[in-house]
Amino acid sequence: MGRTTVLVTGGAGFIGSNFVRFLRTHRPDYRVVVLDKLTYAGRRENLADIPEGEYFRFVRGDIADRPLVDALFAEERPDFVVNFAAETHVDRSILEAGEFIRTDIWGTWVLLEVVRHRGTGRFLQVSTDEVYGEILEGSASEGDPLAPRSPYAASKAGGDLMALAYHETFGVPVLITRGANTFGPYQYPEKFIPLFITNAIDNEPLPLYGDGRQVRDWVYVLDHCAAIDLVLHEGKVGQVYNVGAGNERQNIEVARLILRLLGKPESLIRPVADRPAHDRRYSLDTSRLRALGWAPRYRFEEALAETVRWYRTNEGWWRPIKQGEFAEFYRRNYGHRLG
Ligand code: NAD
Ligand code: TYD
C-alpha cells in the first residue's frame, strides 16, 4: 500500500494553510498536495515552514482549470480531497461577484467532475454557515433550507448543492462541513478580526458596520481544522456537518475586547454605513459534529488573545499585504464610509 495522499485545494489561504500544518503534525505519514491559484488571498509563504518532497508538494493552479486538475489527479491519485479553494470575502462579492461564481461554483464542479471520472476515497467540501442566511432565532441545523443573502453565500450554496447532487447522481463520496466565522493566525486582514487588530495597532479607525450589534458564532481556526479532519475520516458520506463552537458575540463586544487586549482607546471605533443585506446573526446547531466526538479545545477570549499576539509579533506578514492590492480594496470599500 502506498502512502495516503490528501489533495488540499486553497491550501495557501487562511484555514487551508492552518489545515496543512495540522495534517503535518497529526498525520505525519500523509502526503499533502496543495493546489492553489495564489489569488490576492493566497500566499506561498504561509507554508514556507514546510519543506517540499515526499510528504509535501505545492502546485500553483486554478481548480477551474480542468486539464490541470485532471493531470494532477492522474499523477497523484489522491485518497482524500479537501476543497478550501474559494473567493471568501462578502464585501468583495458585493463589489464584484464574477470570480465567486467562477471559483466557488464552477471550480467546485470541475473538481467534482474529475473526482467522478478518476475516483477518490472522500471529497470534503469546505462550506460556511452563511448558506443558511441570517438566523434571527434558534440555531441552524444541517437539514434547514438554504437562504443565502450575499453573492458570496449564494456562490457557496451553489457549490454545496452541486456536491450533494454529485453524491446523489454519480455516487461521488461527498462530505460537507459548514463552518462558523473563523479566526486565528494567517487570516487576510480584510476580515473583521484581523482588520480591527491591525488597524488598532496603527491607531487607525475601526470601521464598525451599522449598529455593531450583529452576532457571529466564532470558532478558532485550530478547532475548525480538527473538525474538518474528523469529518474527513469519520463522517458519513453524503452528510453535512455544521462546525461551530457556540461563541456568539456581538461585533461591538469583539471590537472592545481587541482594543482592551492592545491597550487602545474605544474612541478608535468608528460606526460607518452598514453593509447591504448584512446578516444580523449566525448560530449553528453542532450536535451532529459533537456526536462524532468533536468538542472545541480553545476558549474564545484566550484564542482571541493568542490571535492578537500573533498579529503583534508578525507585522512582517501583514504590513506588506496592507500596502499592496489591499490598499486599493480598502479605498473602494471604505473610502466613502470613512469620508
Ligand atoms: P482565504 O480567502 O484565506 O483563502 C482562499 C484560498 O483559495 C487562497 O489561498 C486562494 O489563493 C485560493 N483560491 C481562490 N480561488 C482559487 C482557485 N480558483 N483555484 C485554486 N485556488 C484558489 O479563505 P479562508 O478563510 O481560508 O476560507 C477557506 C474556505 O473555508 C473557503 O471555502 C470558505 O468559504 C470556507 N469558510 C471560511 C470561513 C472563515 O471564517 N474564514 C468560515 C467558514 C467557511
Ligand atoms: P467578516 O469578517 O467580513 O465575515 P462575514 O461577513 O463573512 O461574517 O465580518 C464579520 C462581521 O463583522 C460581520 O457582521 C460584518 C462585520 N464587519 C464590520 O463591522 N466592519 C468591517 O470592516 C468588516 C470587514 C466586518
Side-chain angles (χ1 to χ4, degrees):
M1 274 239 322
R3 200 174 284 304
T4 299
T5 298
V6 188
L7 175 64
V8 179
T9 65
F14 163 48
I15 310 176
S17 63
N18 278 282
F19 184 69
V20 170
R21 220 168 280 110
F22 181 96
L23 287 180
R24 291 301 323 123
T25 307
H26 297 275
R27 312 240 177 223
D29 54 332
Y30 279 20
R31 174 172 171 79
V32 178
V33 177
V34 166
L35 173 63
D36 197 296
K37 188 179 172 184
L38 298 182
T39 67
Y40 79 90
R43 314 188 74 74
R44 181 63 185 84
E45 68 255 38
N46 290 353
L47 299 167
D49 51 325
I50 306 175
E52 288 205 47
E54 186 183 352
Y55 294 96
F56 176 63
R57 176 181 177 196
F58 183 87
V59 177
R60 182 172 191 178
D62 188 336
I63 60 164
D65 180 345
R66 186 163 175 172
L68 179 140
V69 174
D70 191 63
L72 188 60
F73 265 75
E75 199 185 334
E76 295 285 352
R77 300 182 179 281
D79 301 279
F80 298 123
V81 180
V82 186
N83 180 29
F84 290 94
E87 289 293 330
T88 60
H89 193 39
V90 172
D91 290 319
R92 288 188 193 250
S93 82
I94 293 168
L95 292 171
E96 168 66 51
E99 283 301 302
F100 289 74
I101 295 163
R102 217 186 66 84
T103 291
D104 303 11
I105 304 177
W106 182 269
T108 300
W109 170 75
V110 168
L111 290 173
L112 289 164
E113 265 294 286
V114 172
V115 166
R116 171 189 166 202
H117 291 289
R118 295 255 176 214
T120 194
R122 284 168 163 240
F123 178 96
L124 191 148
Q125 170 73 0
V126 180
S127 185
T128 164
D129 61 358
E130 304 194 25
V131 297
Y132 298 116
E134 62 181 0
I135 306 298
L136 297 178
E137 281 169 29
S139 300
S141 297
E142 289 85 349
D144 288 357
L146 306 189
R149 299 178 69 238
S150 73
Y152 162 65
S155 303
K156 291 298 292 186
D160 275 32
L161 293 174
M162 193 60 77
L164 291 172
Y166 265 60
H167 170 66
E168 294 293 338
T169 310
F170 304 112
V172 171
V174 164
L175 299 120
I176 295 179
T177 55
R178 293 195 181 131
N181 280 72
T182 306
F183 68 103
Y186 297 98
Q187 187 168 29
Y188 196 84
E190 66 193 356
K191 304 294 193 316
F192 173 63
I193 286 180
L195 177 69
F196 277 31
I197 294 171
T198 56
N199 276 15
I201 288 172
D202 282 346
N203 300 309
E204 293 286 336
L206 313 187
L208 187 71
Y209 291 155
D211 64 3
R213 302 277 170 203
Q214 305 83 3
V215 171
R216 293 294 180 266
D217 186 350
W218 293 100
V219 61
Y220 189 54
V221 67
L222 295 182
D223 280 329
H224 194 159
C225 289
I228 289 171
D229 179 73
L230 181 67
V231 171
L232 182 65
H233 292 88
E234 308 289 340
K236 186 165 165 248
V237 166
Q239 285 274 27
V240 178
Y241 293 87
N242 288 342
V243 178
N247 297 310
E248 290 183 33
R249 299 284 187 284
Q250 292 186 350
N251 293 336
I252 186 144
E253 289 177 62
V254 178
R256 288 189 180 128
L257 269 173
I258 289 169
L259 290 168
R260 206 170 313 140
L261 285 163
L262 286 166
K264 300 282 184 176
E266 289 194 5
S267 56
L268 282 177
I269 295 175
R270 179 84 62 87
V272 297
D274 208 350
R275 174 191 276 173
H278 191 171
D279 288 335
R280 194 69 184 164
R281 174 174 174 263
Y282 297 136
S283 175
L284 285 175
D285 178 334
T286 58
S287 42
R288 186 176 284 175
L289 175 70
R290 286 171 187 267
L292 277 187
W294 179 89
R297 296 185 53 215
Y298 298 87
R299 286 192 47 241
F300 177 72
E301 283 71 14
E302 283 160 16
L304 187 65
E306 180 52 37
T307 303
V308 166
R309 247 193 313 279
W310 189 85
Y311 282 90
R312 273 181 116 154
T313 49
N314 288 279
E315 294 196 5
W317 183 84
W318 58 265
R319 283 205 183 279
I321 294 177
K322 286 191 102 173
Q323 278 151 21
E325 179 274 351
F326 179 87
E328 173 53 27
F329 161 73
Y330 201 78
R331 265 192 299 279
R332 274 183 82 195
N333 195 56
Y334 296 98
H336 59 289
R337 288 185 159 111
L338 290 166

